Every structure is written in C-alpha cells, then in structure tokens.
Amino acid sequence: MALATTYRRVYATLTGPQGPINHENTLKVNWSVDRGWTWSCEFSQDYNIGHAMTETYTIELLDGYGNTLTSPPLVALQRSQRGPACTGGSRKKTLSGVDQTTFRMGKRNQSFPSFRATYSDVLMETLATRAGVTVSGLPVWFIGEEEVKGETLASAIQRLQKAVAYDAVIGTDGAIELTAWEDVGDSLDFPVANVQRNYDPSQVFTGVRLGKRTSRSNNGTQRYQFDHAGAFQMELQAPLTGPDANTGNDMAALTVGGVAFFDGDPNDPESGLVNFLSFPGPWGTLTVPPVGTSETGIATHMVVETFPMSGSITAYPVDALLIVTGTPYDEEDPPPAGVDLQFLYPVPNGNDPENIDAYDTSLGAWPSNQDAIDPIFQGYGQAEERYPSYLAKLNAPGDTLTMDGTFHLGPRPLRRYSFPVWDLESEAWVNGSYKVWSIDWDPGSIRAQITLVRAGTAA
C-alpha cells in the first residue's frame, strides 16, 4: 500500500502518532492569517481514532516546481469511523484539525490575576507562556487594567493584536509572528490561472468607533461623613483618577452642596482643579479657590461644603454623607504620558440638544456597528495613530481577490499582488494592492486557491 500520493512529482505525506497515513489523495490543507492552519483527510487503513487529543501529526508537501513545505505540528480534533457493516463509500475514517499552536490557545477556564498598570509585552508573555506558544512582534504600550478571566487565551491574544491593527501568522515552526497591517510584504509567487475581484460595498465602512472606559470606577469608593455645616478641606483617603461623587442620607438635616477635587493642597497656588461637582439646592455655588486646571488628573485633596436642609441640626441627628468614587492611583507607579482612563475616537459630534435635527457625522455616511470599546487601549493618541490601519483591516473582507492555479507551494500569507481597480477620487484606473489572506492546497486535484484582501493602493 502506497504511503504517499505521487502524481507529476507532487507529493503529500501525512504522518500521525501511529505512523504514515495513506490519505488516498483526499488531504487538504489551509493556511490563513489570524486563523492558523486547518487540515482534513479521509482514509481506510487500520487506525485508532481514539488516541489522546494532544498527539501530533505533520504534513510534508512537494509541488511540481521543486518547492517543499512542512507544516507545524498539527492535532486532530474531529474524527469519525464508519462501521464494517456500513454500505456505500469505501473510506471509513476521517480526520480534521488545526495546528498545535491554535489548539493550545483555545484553552478555557484559565485562572489569571487581575492585570493592573502593566505593559502589552508583559501581558502577552504571560498569556503565551501559559499556552505554551511563542509570540513575537507586538509593540509595547501601557495597559492600565485588564481582566482575562473566563476568556480563551486565543481571544485575549487576539484583543491585544486587534487593538493596534496587527496581523498574526503562525509559521511552519508553530511560532506566531505579528506584523503591522500596513507593512508591505514580498510579491506573490504563484502561477495564476484565474483571478476574480469580489467587491461588497456594504462591508466597506466609512468609520468605526474606538474607545475605552474604566471598569474600576467603584473600586476606589471612599465614604465621608459630616456632622455640621461648613467648608472642609481634606486629603483623600487615597489618590484617585477620574474622581466623582454623590450624596446620601436624604433624611439628614445636613447635605453636601458641592465638592471640588484638587491634585494638591487647595491652598497651594501650584495645585490644579481636577473636577468640580455642585449638587442641587438653595445654597448657591461652592466657592472654589482660583487655581488652574490640573495637568495630572490625579486627585489627592478635596474641598467640601455642607449646608443645613431645614430646622436645626438636632432635629435629625444624621450626618451628611458624601460618597466619592474613582480609579485608585499608585503614586509610586504613575502611568506614562498618553494614558487615558476613557476616550472615544473619532470624537462624536452632533446630538445638539438645541437642534433636534443634528446627528453624529464623525463616522461618515456608512459607519460600522462593530465599535471597539476596550480597556486594553492605552489612550486617545494611540487610537488616533492606529485608526487608519484599524479601519483598513476592518474593511479588507469587503474587497477581495480569489485566484486559483496549479498546485504550487510558493504562496505565503501576507504576500502582495497588484490588480487594476477604478479609483473614484482620481477617476482613473490604479493598481490596487492586495495581500494573501488564505491559501488552500489540494494535492489530490493538483490545485491551489488563494484569497487576498485589499491592502491599499500600490505605489
């Protein structure tokens, strides 16, 4: 029994934990950006499909042009076997699976600590080490907070990658290499027989909202009580960023009229105002010392003014209550410049309460509904810088090429190919730049098919 498929010097061998498998020309292999490797085959030889899930396979390919390709370690996730009494169909067993790296990143129910004031490379290395995979190429940025409990390792790693619009390719060695969306790869090496452009304008968006919200606003809750009317200057129990406040004890004879947060002693002219809140009531406006706006946004002190509600202070001997919330701040480990607790980019416009016909135009006429609001972003500046690439990658599936040709192992993910497209702005034909997104090899039919996505305009 032959253990390899041979035809016109095309070879495709599959080796599993029990030795070589005669796949009978049914072997199919796919290599995709952001998805890794998938494979499948059917065969009829004696074989135990009930082996351990972690057992590995390898595929070796040789085309008719002298090119070779060896897959990374693979695993078989889906397996089936027809009984000996079944009629119809000569093949009795099927295997299909993914590369070992993708399999390892699919682990669920991982227990991670809450990440605070860390960096992308530290977070990525922690995730990769737990998964037993190698990842390179991710840029470094500050991450104020991140919870990855309950996520698969793959989804957590993909969120890091997505935040900066990077592509991920699992190489033949099983390592993950990340590259920026706009990076230009080598030219595609493939004897094209047919190529077709596929364009879906409904999947090409004019804008997408990026943003960040802190999920820790209540983790810094502080409570303050006051038993008489007056103005109080005090240091916060702990520094906070994004300070906010509300009042309690509605039945008290006292209430808080307002609070001002400062990044230092309110009597120091060098201190700046972080936030000011005035609560409804008959007492007027809290007097705020004449200081400038804080440059740090870190509240360390506050001024609180309380007022009697009615009657005497002894009528309802209940203290006035002020509840202060915000994000805890470690003064010994301040976040670097460019970190925002929350932001939206592009900044929404419209929605003018004085003009009911106003509406948001910041995302253009055909915006995406896939907003990316994620604490993993560093801040507004990072989002603004990566936005063109983020939007381009989001739109890429709306403008694709499909090409096919003879079985050839030259194609690689992210290789570039030019195709003429009509440019609406210049009203002329230009060379559209596309990059390889998915490769399907079928050695049995001696064919290969490639999907490419639009990557811009070729120079």
Side-chain angles (χ1 to χ4, degrees):
M1 180 180 294
L3 299 181
T5 300
T6 62
Y7 183 70
R8 295 183 184 175
R9 298 178 60 217
V10 171
Y11 294 84
T13 62
L14 171 64
T15 304
Q18 299 163 48
I21 297 173
N22 181 10
H23 53 79
E24 304 172 30
N25 286 338
T26 65
L27 182 65
K28 294 179 175 57
V29 182
N30 173 273
W31 189 6
S32 296
V33 181
D34 290 351
R35 288 182 50 209
W37 299 67
T38 58
W39 64 281
S40 66
C41 73
E42 297 181 5
F43 60 98
S44 56
Q45 74 186 61
D46 186 29
Y47 193 81
N48 173 26
I49 67 170
H51 61 74
M53 184 167 52
T54 55
E55 296 285 353
T56 59
Y57 294 73
T58 57
I59 294 173
E60 296 181 0
L61 303 173
L62 169 67
D63 64 17
Y65 301 85
N67 301 307
T68 61
L69 179 70
T70 301
S71 73
L74 309 168
V75 295
L77 299 181
Q78 303 296 326
R79 314 163 195 174
S80 65
Q81 180 175 358
R82 292 169 60 87
C86 295
T87 59
S90 60
R91 298 183 180 92
K92 298 178 174 62
K93 302 176 184 68
T94 64
L95 299 173
S96 64
V98 299
D99 60 275
Q100 186 182 56
T101 298
T102 298
F103 167 71
R104 287 175 171 175
M105 292 196 303
K107 292 179 181 178
R108 298 181 180 275
N109 300 321
Q110 300 298 301
S111 177
F112 288 100
S114 297
F115 290 90
R116 297 288 184 264
T118 187
Y119 285 85
S120 57
D121 57 339
V122 175
L123 180 53
M124 177 66 85
E125 181 63 26
T126 302
L127 296 171
T129 299
R130 176 66 61 84
V133 302
T134 301
V135 185
S136 63
L138 185 73
V140 178
W141 75 90
F142 181 85
I143 297 175
E145 56 175 328
E146 177 52 25
E147 289 284 2
V148 294
K149 294 181 177 68
E151 285 192 77
T152 64
L153 298 171
S155 65
I157 291 174
Q158 286 166 1
R159 284 177 52 227
L160 283 165
Q161 168 198 340
K162 183 178 179 181
V164 287
Y166 268 53
D167 300 330
V169 174
I170 298 177
T172 55
D173 59 355
I176 304 172
E177 183 177 1
L178 302 175
T179 55
W181 168 264
E182 65 275 14
D183 285 356
V184 177
D186 295 333
S187 297
L188 173 63
D189 175 20
F190 182 62
V192 181
N194 300 288
V195 59
Q196 173 179 299
R197 184 187 181 199
N198 312 286
Y199 183 67
D200 182 354
S202 69
Q203 297 303 309
V204 178
F205 305 103
T206 55
V208 59
R209 187 82 67 207
L210 308 184
K212 174 182 178 181
R213 299 189 184 98
T214 178
S215 63
R216 298 190 294 150
S217 59
N218 291 327
N219 288 0
T221 299
Q222 303 176 13
R223 299 167 67 89
Y224 300 86
Q225 290 181 269
F226 306 90
D227 61 5
H228 63 278
F232 305 85
Q233 295 186 14
M234 64 186 66
E235 188 173 355
L236 294 178
Q237 296 166 7
L240 297 173
T241 56
D244 200 354
N246 58 73
T247 59
N249 289 352
D250 292 340
M251 294 302 294
L254 276 177
T255 191
V256 176
V259 56
F261 296 97
F262 298 86
D263 61 8
D265 187 334
N267 297 310
D268 186 342
E270 298 296 322
S271 297
L273 182 67
V274 178
N275 193 18
F276 170 68
L277 300 163
S278 180
F279 304 108
W283 35 80
T285 303
L286 173 67
T287 301
V288 179
V291 297
T293 302
S294 170
E295 295 183 359
T296 67
I298 306 162
T300 60
H301 294 71
M302 68 178 176
V303 175
V304 181
E305 198 160 359
T306 62
F307 297 88
M309 287 288 288
S310 60
S312 67
I313 195 68
T314 58
Y316 297 98
V318 181
D319 292 345
L321 176 63
L322 180 69
I323 302 172
V324 174
T325 60
T327 301
Y329 175 80
D330 185 352
E331 291 180 289
E332 296 181 357
D333 188 20
V339 175
D340 296 306
L341 284 176
Q342 55 187 9
F343 71 88
L344 289 176
Y345 184 86
V347 177
N349 57 40
N351 301 318
D352 185 351
E354 297 182 0
N355 180 4
I356 61 174
D357 295 324
Y359 59 93
D360 182 21
T361 61
S362 61
L363 299 182
W366 189 253
S368 168
N369 59 3
Q370 300 180 31
D371 292 352
I373 310 299
D374 197 323
I376 217 163
F377 284 111
Q378 174 169 289
Y380 182 94
Q382 180 195 45
E384 182 180 33
E385 177 186 359
R386 297 304 300 160
Y387 182 78
S389 294
Y390 193 104
L391 182 60
K393 182 168 183 175
L394 177 67
N395 287 338
D399 191 348
T400 65
L401 300 179
T402 54
M403 62 173 59
D404 64 79
T406 187
F407 184 74
H408 192 280
L409 298 173
R412 292 291 185 274
L414 304 181
R415 293 287 177 91
R416 300 285 172 142
Y417 182 81
S418 293
F419 188 85
V421 298
W422 181 259
D423 182 62
L424 294 176
E425 292 186 6
S426 63
E427 295 187 346
W429 289 99
V430 299
N431 285 325
S433 177
Y434 292 78
K435 59 183 177 181
V436 174
W437 205 249
S438 179
I439 310 162
D440 286 286
W441 283 297
D442 185 350
S445 64
I446 317 184
R447 303 295 292 175
Q449 183 172 358
I450 306 172
T451 300
L452 303 93
V453 298
R454 181 70 179 272
T457 300

